[in-house]
Amino acid sequence: MQEGKTRVKRPLTVTDILNTKRKTIDLNEPWKSFIGVPDRSGAWIVWGESGSGKTTFTMQLCKEFATREKVLYNSLEEGNSKSIASAITRVGMIDVKQNFYLLDKESIEELKLRLSRKRSPKVCVIDSLQYSGLDYRNYLKLIEEFPKTLFIFISHADGKNPSGRTASKVRYDAMVKIRVEGYRAFAASRFLEGSGTFYDVWKEGAINYHGE
């Protein structure tokens, strides 16, 4: 190789790809049918209008992760509020209290310092994307800086879509995209073959809303 030239990496063969060992999360049912077997890193997005059941859904999801992982929930929008405490109580988070931690309006820079520590939680919820101050460029930098962390971004909604330019871009980038409406969650997951199923946050409320 001539001096000054950059070495080009060898491309991956089909055998390389298929033999790559990937860290995944083996979710319990009904989560596995809803999402699949996801990677332990990357980004997800959850969005819904106020009163849709979005916070309760997110807490239910956190509880599922907390059966096996430490989970950080950065409550940027509501902080340590009564409504957050009610949601935690409603889903029975006390059952996994050793693995669930609430951050009271911690800035993204403070969060980065926390995540850079050894043995820091590898599942991090940011609620909400609109309150984080992140634009798309800094969102990408956050994901790249912590390649072993799974980030779940909560977003406001504009109708059936995430609200704002950054949230719209995160939606296209995210490996799992979950819309919550009328106490029912609908997922588009790259870890599922086919369309998957919906998930009822509150069955009675979902049936009353959707008429099913």
Side-chain angles (χ1 to χ4, degrees):
M1 185 175 69
Q2 295 181 7
E3 187 176 351
K5 283 192 175 182
T6 302
R7 172 173 287 180
V8 177
K9 292 173 65 176
R10 180 179 68 82
L12 297 175
T13 65
V14 171
T15 301
D16 291 333
I17 297 167
L18 296 180
N19 287 340
T20 299
K21 292 184 178 179
R22 298 177 175 85
K23 291 187 176 181
T24 58
I25 302 175
D26 190 16
L27 299 172
N28 297 311
E29 293 293 352
W31 296 99
K32 183 180 288 187
S33 295
F34 182 58
I35 293 170
V37 182
D39 288 336
R40 289 176 176 265
S41 59
W44 298 13
I45 185 169
V46 178
W47 73 94
E49 295 186 342
S50 179
S52 64
K54 179 175 77 268
T55 300
T56 300
F57 168 81
T58 304
M59 289 298 178
Q60 289 172 344
L61 181 61
C62 286
K63 184 180 180 181
E64 169 62 19
F65 278 121
T67 62
R68 58 181 63 74
E69 304 276 348
K70 289 183 178 179
V71 178
L72 279 178
Y73 190 105
N74 193 1
S75 185
L76 288 166
E77 189 165 337
E78 295 190 61
N80 183 17
S81 66
K82 183 178 179 180
S83 64
I84 291 292
S86 295
I88 287 172
T89 301
R90 195 157 52 241
V91 305
M93 198 72 79
I94 193 73
D95 296 339
V96 292
K97 62 181 181 179
Q98 71 280 4
N99 277 342
F100 180 84
Y101 303 90
L102 183 77
L103 303 179
D104 188 358
K105 299 186 179 183
E106 187 163 281
S107 72
I108 296 300
E109 290 307 312
E110 291 172 322
L111 177 63
K112 285 182 178 181
L113 289 175
R114 185 182 298 277
L115 292 176
S116 65
R117 296 173 181 168
K118 291 182 178 179
R119 294 184 293 278
S120 63
K122 298 304 179 186
V123 177
C124 180
V125 177
I126 295 178
D127 185 6
S128 64
L129 184 57
Q130 285 75 18
Y131 273 67
S132 71
L134 289 168
D135 57 17
Y136 188 61
R137 181 177 62 86
N138 285 307
Y139 152 81
L140 290 175
K141 286 176 65 176
L142 178 65
I143 301 302
E144 291 169 1
E145 188 172 345
F146 299 97
K148 296 182 180 179
T149 301
L150 173 59
F151 290 95
I152 302 172
F153 295 90
I154 313 304
S155 173
H156 299 170
D158 183 5
K160 292 186 181 297
N161 298 307
S163 179
R165 180 178 297 180
T166 299
S168 295
K169 289 184 175 181
V170 171
R171 175 188 179 182
Y172 284 106
D173 183 65
M175 301 297 284
V176 177
K177 317 155 204 297
I178 301 170
R179 176 175 65 87
V180 184
E181 180 181 352
Y183 308 106
R184 180 168 288 171
F186 305 87
S189 172
R190 299 183 189 181
F191 305 109
L192 270 181
E193 294 184 7
S195 58
T197 63
F198 58 77
Y199 173 91
D200 280 344
V201 182
W202 173 38
K203 192 172 185 62
E204 182 182 348
I207 291 173
N208 289 337
Y209 182 93
H210 295 278
E212 299 173 13

